[in-house]
Amino acid sequence: MESDKASDKPLSLLDLAILFVRYRAVFFFVVFTTMLSSIAWYFVTPPSYQFTSVIALAERSPGEPVANPESVLAMVSSRWLTQAEKAFFKREGRKVPFETQVVSVEGGELLKLVSEASLEQLDMVTSIHQVLADEISADQNKLIERSRDRLQQVIEETEALWESLRKQNNAGPALTAVTEQLVALKRELGNLNEARVVSVAAQSSEPTSLGLPIKIAFSAVLGIGLGVFLVYVVAFCVEVRREWLKLKGQNGSGRLG
C-alpha cells in the first residue's frame, strides 16, 4: 500500500534532476552527435552565394515605366520563370536545384532576379537568368516600339498640319499651338528608353550560407533541447519496462502458487 502511495506521488524537481543525472549519457550523446553532424555537413556541403541579375525596364520618360511594374513582376513569376524551369527539366531530366526570386526595386524602374546557389551551379543560374532577362527585354521593347510607332505617326500628322497652317494667312496663334505640340511630341519620342540588361548572375562577395561557428551554435542549442527531451523519454520507457516486468513476475508467481 505504501509503495502504491509512493508511486502516485507527483515527481518533484529533485526527482527530475536525479533522472537527468542518471541518464546524462543520453543527453551528452545527443548533443555531441548533433554538433558533429553539423560540422560534417558544413565541410561536405559547398558554400552558397547570392547571384543577382538586374534589368532596367523600358520607360516612356524618366521614372515612368512603359508597363505597370506589378504586371511585369507577375508575368515573370507566373509565366517566363515557369517556362524556364520546365525547359531545364526537359533538358536535364531534373528540377532546378535552386530557387529564383523576382523583385521590383527603385519604384519599378529595375527588376532583379535573385538566386542562391553554389559556385558549381553558376552556369545553370546564368543560363536561367539570361533566358529571363532576354524575355523581359524583348517584351518591354515591343511596348516601346508600339509607343514609338504611335508617336511617329502623330508627329507626321502634326507636321503636315503645321505645314498647312504655315501657308495660311492669319494662322499665327494656331501655328504657335501646333508648334508647341510638335515640340512636346518630339521630346516624348526622345524620352523613350528601351529595356536593357544591367548585369547577369553577379556573384555576392560573401557566402550567404551560415558560417561554421554559427552552425555549431545552432546545433548545440538544438542538441541541448533534443537531449533533454530524449533523457526523459528514455527514463519513461525504462520505467514502463520495469513496471511491466514486475507485473509479469507477479502474474507468474501467482500461477505457480
Side-chain angles (χ1 to χ4, degrees):
M1 183 67 68
E2 292 180 358
S3 62
D4 291 341
K5 290 181 178 179
S7 62
D8 292 339
K9 182 180 178 182
L11 291 174
S12 64
L13 291 177
L14 180 60
D15 295 328
L16 293 176
I18 292 173
L19 282 176
F20 181 83
V21 173
R22 184 180 299 169
Y23 296 100
R24 62 187 180 276
V26 175
F27 172 79
F28 289 117
F29 174 78
V30 172
V31 172
F32 285 119
T33 300
T34 306
M35 293 178 66
L36 289 174
S37 299
S38 176
I39 294 172
W41 181 257
Y42 174 81
F43 286 107
V44 169
T45 307
S48 59
Y49 292 83
Q50 186 177 84
F51 297 96
T52 305
S53 298
V54 180
I55 303 98
L57 299 181
E59 295 177 318
R60 288 192 179 91
S61 61
E64 184 185 357
V66 71
N68 186 348
E70 295 299 326
S71 64
V72 177
L73 192 66
M75 179 67 76
V76 176
S77 301
S78 63
R79 181 180 175 184
W80 294 326
L81 179 56
T82 302
Q83 290 176 350
E85 291 175 344
K86 287 181 178 179
F88 179 89
F89 181 82
K90 185 177 181 180
R91 184 174 64 254
E92 302 290 337
R94 60 192 176 103
K95 293 178 62 177
V96 178
F98 52 85
E99 292 186 358
T100 299
Q101 296 180 336
V102 187
V103 184
S104 179
V105 294
E106 294 189 12
E109 298 174 15
L110 299 177
L111 208 64
K112 290 174 63 176
L113 308 174
V114 183
S115 300
E116 286 191 10
S118 63
L119 291 177
E120 288 80 2
Q121 299 168 334
L122 175 57
D123 290 341
M124 291 183 282
V125 174
T126 303
S127 175
I128 289 181
H129 281 209
Q130 188 65 62
V131 168
L132 292 175
D134 291 343
E135 290 283 359
I136 295 168
S137 300
D139 183 74
Q140 290 278 294
N141 291 335
K142 284 180 182 178
L143 298 177
I144 283 292
E145 285 301 319
R146 291 175 190 170
S147 297
R148 182 177 288 117
D149 292 342
R150 179 183 58 82
L151 283 172
Q152 286 176 344
Q153 182 179 358
V154 175
I155 288 173
E156 290 175 1
E157 294 174 353
T158 306
E159 286 178 340
L161 177 60
W162 184 86
E163 287 291 340
S164 175
L165 291 173
R166 189 172 65 86
K167 295 176 182 178
Q168 298 178 11
N169 297 325
N170 302 323
L175 185 62
T176 301
V178 171
T179 301
E180 292 177 353
Q181 182 183 2
L182 188 60
V183 170
L185 288 171
K186 289 184 177 180
R187 184 186 304 116
E188 185 177 353
L189 180 63
N191 285 335
L192 292 178
N193 290 321
E194 293 186 347
R196 58 189 177 88
V197 179
V198 179
S199 63
V200 177
Q203 178 185 333
S204 61
S205 58
E206 297 293 334
T208 55
S209 53
L210 297 176
L212 182 59
I214 298 178
K215 282 194 173 184
I216 292 176
F218 275 124
S219 63
V221 172
L222 176 63
I224 289 171
L226 187 60
V228 171
F229 173 73
L230 289 180
V231 161
Y232 294 109
V233 169
V234 170
F236 174 76
C237 293
V238 170
E239 187 63 26
V240 169
R241 183 175 183 276
R242 182 184 294 118
E243 291 296 326
W244 181 77
L245 291 175
K246 185 188 298 183
L247 182 62
K248 184 177 179 183
Q250 290 176 354
N251 292 337
S253 62
R255 285 196 296 270
L256 290 176

